[in-house]
Amino acid sequence: MRRWHKFAIGSAAGIVLAGAALFALDAADKAFPPPLDKAFPPPLDRANAVSAEVLDADGQLLRAFATSEGRWRLTTAVSDVDPQFLRMLIAYEDQRFYEHGGVDLWALGRAAVQLVSNGRIVSGASTLSMQVARLIEPREGRSLSAKLLQLVRAVQIERRLSKEEILDLYLTHAPYGGNLEGVRAASLAYFGKEPRRLTVAEAALLVALPQLPERRRPDRNLKAAEAARKRVLDRVAVARAVGDGEAERAEGVAVPPQRMQLPALAAHVAEAALRKEPTVLKHQTTLKKQVQQGLEAVARAAAFKLGPKLSLAMVMADAQTGAIVGEVGSADYFDASRSGWIDMTRVNRSPGSTLKPFIYGLAFEQGLVSQETIIEDRPADFFGYRPRNFDMSYQGDVTVREALQLSLNVPAVKLLDAVGPSRLMARFRRAEVRPVLLPNETPGLAIGLGGVGITLKDLVQLYTALADRGQPARLGDGVTGAPGKLDGEPLLEPVAVWNVADILSGVIPPAGAPQRGIAYKTGTSYGYRDAWSVGYDGRYVLGVWVGRPDNSAVPGLTGYGTAAPILFEGFAKSGIATTPLPRPPAGAIRIAQSELPISQRRFALNASGLLTSGREAAPQIIYPPEGAHVDLGAGQGNLSPLMLKLQGGRAPFRWLANGKPLPDLSRRRIQQWLPDGGGYSKLTVIDSAGRAASVGVFID
């Protein structure tokens, strides 16, 4: 009985001591935790954080940014790498990884026996957990105390993290020589691809390098890298993991002797993403990697041909969704001679003739002309404004189709005079695009030939309406801006859009470019400062700008000769199959000139400045447009006069404001009216034939 009593007391004391020891160990573990914050740092701690990444719409890497300490350390998870690589890694480094709790006691015993027997270290006993401990808490030297600390840290890490999380840390932080850390960075640098699909030879090299990353770097010590890979492939456990004969075949594959550059696409979009959300480490964009690579390759080749100091920009957008799928802000981001850091897709420049399709679209919509209507291309004077064609020559009588395809200036201005510059600008606002005029300047006829400022992005946004039956899209900014179709009225009616596309799809491609089934328009700004080309198929719009960022003239720079070849090459290299242009909507047909109604056979201005289209047209108020809000200073109590402008009709004209006739008849098509006050007003004009036109406006 006494023996049992002593045994019970001893057992209880042992349990108490064991419990106290466990409690002490647990307290010590909590008091001195492993520095996992270095592996999972706060977002703002960029010194220890992983590299920020900019991704395309499908999650593919476009560009990575080195950490503040200059390291390429890309976040890597088990799901990001080839399963065969993981099997080889565990077979070579830590065969009992899923069985031990951080320390492999069997491997420790084997290493100790080998050390005593051979007087040197024959094999190591470091587990993957111990290696992670060393990576997140590096110590100089290989002292016994450092090794003991690794053992303790490995156990602590195993208590806190799952096996998969430990592997994630190893895959992200393992050293691969120079400033490369982690399997993804190494795979991209040595093989030019993500590690999701690796050959046996590639996987073996990635297993071998972290043990002695500087000595085994293939770009500096090719022989050492080959030997290290062979040691991995010769390991029996590795050979079993990869299958019969695979290790032997892998030994015959050459080791890559050079290091590649990590992906560095979409420089301007990537910089914008980082500025907008500096604490985010993964930035999703709307870009498509394949499209971006193609456009940047075209831009590099074009820049070489263009010569020094010229830059170019490209924007490709999906007209159905508004997503920017490719964007090149400059010829070379790092080329100071071209001011490559300036994103020329966001800079206001003169668009040349690229706005003409919308003028013609309005004319088609209003029934002023058809494609085969004859219009004069001769010198004309619009109240002192005398437009001239690009080549200083005139074609005489041409069809509207020919006038747009040849980008003749005088016919375009005649049509703009008929439809009204303010109405054109109002249509642009439907697409949320607001071209920039000079201070205190009202819309005038010069906007039809580039007398306005617009960005390449906004120009592409306008053309999304032409690619999708008149309904424009909001492009966003490619990063955080939400793209999508715009609600509200279309920019142009579908029949007018079809007429424009039918004409532009017949423009001859530039020399050497294949016919791709796209509609396109070119433009050259005054003084040869900007060359433009914008093209579209049934879904995608691509815009190209070429010029000098400092707005200097470039003799010989033209839209057709300079920008159009880049446009066609961009479509070809984008990797996107051509989508057919939309089918003609109901009522959209091309009518022969002989079958046109008399009113549409000829569009002209007679000697009196009267609009005629085969017969005398009824009057039409073209400014102010219907429903316009005109700021005349009503809120300040000091009203300015409103300019009234009409087209057509037979002089003299009688104007009425809110039913009250203005004092005098007028033979001019421009008149001034001073309102009595703010608010809604109804303006009416009656010509000598008794025909009338009215608009309602709001005076602010």
Side-chain angles (χ1 to χ4, degrees):
M1 189 73 180
R2 183 175 298 173
R3 285 199 304 269
W4 283 108
H5 181 70
K6 290 181 178 179
F7 176 77
I9 293 175
S11 298
I15 292 171
V16 170
L17 289 173
L22 289 173
F23 179 80
L25 288 173
D26 187 64
D29 176 65
K30 292 178 180 178
F32 303 99
L36 291 175
D37 58 323
K38 293 183 178 180
F40 302 105
L44 285 176
D45 185 10
R46 295 301 305 278
N48 295 311
V50 294
S51 298
E53 298 177 36
V54 179
L55 312 176
D56 81 342
D58 300 319
Q60 297 187 77
L61 181 65
L62 292 173
R63 185 180 183 186
F65 290 86
T67 66
S68 59
E69 53 190 4
R71 298 189 180 278
W72 298 110
R73 187 187 297 134
L74 306 179
T75 303
T76 312
V78 168
S79 58
D80 295 328
V81 300
D82 193 319
Q84 182 167 252
F85 165 77
L86 292 175
R87 291 194 296 270
M88 293 173 67
L89 174 68
I90 292 171
Y92 187 76
E93 289 285 356
D94 192 354
Q95 295 181 42
R96 281 169 292 281
F97 173 69
Y98 289 106
E99 301 164 12
H100 63 67
V103 178
D104 187 344
L105 297 178
W106 188 92
L108 275 177
R110 180 203 63 206
V113 170
Q114 291 174 338
L115 176 62
V116 172
S117 302
N118 296 277
R120 59 184 177 86
I121 296 176
V122 176
S123 64
S126 180
T127 64
L128 288 172
S129 303
M130 293 169 64
Q131 292 182 47
V132 168
R134 184 176 70 249
L135 291 172
I136 65 175
E137 192 176 19
R139 287 173 178 262
E140 295 184 2
R142 301 182 63 181
S143 64
L144 179 61
S145 60
K147 201 66 176 179
L148 289 173
L149 180 62
Q150 281 182 32
L151 293 170
V152 173
R153 290 304 196 201
V155 174
Q156 289 181 301
I157 289 171
E158 291 271 356
R159 294 185 65 184
R160 288 165 170 79
L161 302 178
S162 68
K163 292 290 186 179
E164 187 169 296
E165 289 173 325
I166 292 170
L167 280 176
D168 290 348
L169 286 179
Y170 179 85
L171 296 174
T172 299
H173 292 270
Y176 280 90
N179 60 352
L180 295 177
E181 290 190 5
V183 172
R184 282 184 65 208
S187 182
L188 289 165
Y190 293 126
F191 312 131
K193 66 180 184 180
E194 293 279 357
R196 293 187 181 90
R197 295 289 182 271
L198 296 170
T199 66
V200 172
E202 291 168 345
L205 182 64
L206 294 180
V207 169
L209 293 182
Q211 284 79 45
L212 295 168
E214 292 304 322
R215 294 184 190 176
R216 297 176 177 178
R217 285 179 58 174
D219 58 329
R220 293 188 178 180
N221 301 294
L222 185 60
K223 294 296 183 183
E226 290 172 344
R229 187 186 68 174
K230 186 178 186 305
R231 278 194 292 273
V232 172
L233 293 171
D234 287 346
R235 183 72 62 88
V236 174
V238 172
R240 283 199 297 263
V242 300
D244 292 340
E246 289 298 323
E248 290 82 357
R249 281 190 286 271
E251 287 187 20
V253 178
V255 171
Q258 294 181 339
R259 172 174 159 176
M260 305 178 195
Q261 183 181 0
L262 267 65
L265 298 168
H268 293 91
V269 173
E271 291 285 355
L274 220 60
R275 286 194 302 270
K276 286 193 171 188
E277 296 179 309
T279 63
V280 174
L281 291 176
K282 291 208 175 195
H283 304 264
Q284 191 91 25
T285 70
T286 63
L287 305 181
K288 294 281 189 178
K289 185 173 184 177
Q290 179 187 23
V291 176
Q292 188 67 28
Q293 285 177 319
L295 294 186
E296 291 196 17
V298 171
R300 284 193 299 271
F304 179 77
K305 294 178 182 178
L306 290 171
K309 298 187 179 179
L310 269 77
S311 190
L312 64 89
M314 308 169 77
V315 173
M316 191 172 199
D318 186 335
Q320 295 181 9
T321 66
I324 295 176
V325 296
E327 181 174 314
V328 179
S330 67
D332 184 346
Y333 184 85
F334 299 102
D335 190 341
S337 69
R338 303 178 195 269
S339 300
W341 60 86
I342 300 177
D343 184 356
M344 295 305 298
T345 69
R346 303 296 198 268
V347 177
N348 282 304
R349 304 289 289 231
S350 167
S353 297
T354 56
L355 299 181
K356 286 179 180 176
F358 303 97
I359 299 172
Y360 283 81
L362 274 176
F364 287 132
E365 185 179 293
Q366 295 178 20
L368 297 178
V369 294
S370 291
Q371 288 194 39
E372 299 303 319
T373 298
I374 298 298
I375 190 168
E376 292 183 358
D377 179 39
R378 293 184 174 86
D381 188 331
F382 299 87
F383 308 102
Y385 178 54
R386 300 179 180 87
R388 294 178 294 181
N389 287 326
F390 183 76
D391 60 2
M392 300 299 183
S393 65
Y394 298 91
Q395 302 295 317
D397 284 356
V398 294
T399 65
V400 164
R401 181 182 181 85
E402 292 170 332
L404 180 52
Q405 288 183 340
L406 296 173
S407 197
L408 301 176
N409 288 343
V410 175
V413 174
K414 286 183 177 181
L415 290 177
L416 181 58
D417 192 37
V419 301
S422 295
R423 183 172 282 115
L424 179 66
M425 296 288 277
R427 292 302 179 94
F428 292 162
R429 288 195 291 273
R430 290 185 183 181
E432 295 186 356
V433 172
R434 291 170 173 78
V436 178
L437 297 167
L438 292 174
N440 304 318
E441 182 179 326
T442 57
L445 297 178
I447 66 175
L449 306 183
V452 70
I454 193 170
T455 67
L456 177 60
K457 173 184 169 292
D458 281 348
L459 190 60
V460 170
Q461 184 159 313
L462 285 178
Y463 271 75
T464 61
L466 300 182
D468 196 21
R469 300 177 177 82
Q471 198 64 44
R474 180 190 296 109
L475 300 191
D477 59 4
V479 186
T480 58
K485 298 301 289 184
L486 292 170
D487 298 327
E489 296 181 273
L491 192 149
L492 291 169
E493 294 298 327
V495 172
V497 170
W498 177 84
N499 275 291
V500 170
D502 189 52
I503 293 173
L504 295 182
S505 61
V507 178
I508 299 173
Q515 178 59 262
R516 294 189 56 85
I518 64 173
Y520 81 105
K521 183 73 184 73
T522 61
T524 307
S525 68
Y526 178 77
Y528 302 96
R529 288 174 168 81
D530 308 272
W532 303 80
S533 187
V534 188
Y536 59 95
D537 60 13
R539 178 158 187 176
Y540 293 96
V541 180
L542 175 60
V544 176
W545 169 88
V546 181
R548 286 185 55 164
D550 62 5
N551 205 30
S552 299
V554 183
L557 186 75
T558 66
Y560 187 79
T562 308
I566 299 173
L567 175 83
F568 276 77
E569 189 72 7
F571 266 110
K573 294 293 178 62
S574 69
I576 294 178
T578 302
T579 303
L581 290 163
R583 297 175 62 85
I589 56 174
R590 194 193 301 173
I591 305 173
Q593 206 272 340
S594 60
E595 298 177 0
L596 287 173
I598 294 176
S599 62
Q600 285 197 336
R601 290 184 182 176
R602 173 174 287 274
F603 180 93
L605 294 171
N606 64 21
S608 302
L610 187 69
L611 177 65
T612 61
S613 294
R615 61 182 175 80
E616 192 173 73
Q620 179 185 21
I621 300 174
I622 59 174
Y623 189 83
E626 173 66 33
H629 285 258
V630 185
D631 185 2
L632 299 178
Q636 288 75 34
N638 186 19
L639 282 167
S640 302
L642 174 64
M643 188 70 69
L644 310 176
K645 185 175 181 181
L646 67 88
Q647 186 73 71
R650 183 187 304 168
F653 307 106
R654 169 68 71 183
W655 284 90
L656 297 89
N658 299 319
K660 181 180 178 181
L662 299 191
D664 301 312
L665 288 171
S666 173
R667 302 194 65 86
R668 301 179 64 233
R669 291 183 294 119
I670 296 179
Q671 177 76 309
Q672 284 190 340
W673 166 59
L674 185 63
D676 295 329
Y680 179 79
S681 290
K682 187 79 168 181
L683 299 171
T684 303
V685 65
I686 305 173
D687 74 351
S688 62
R691 297 169 296 187
S694 298
V695 295
V697 298
F698 295 87
I699 306 302
D700 298 328

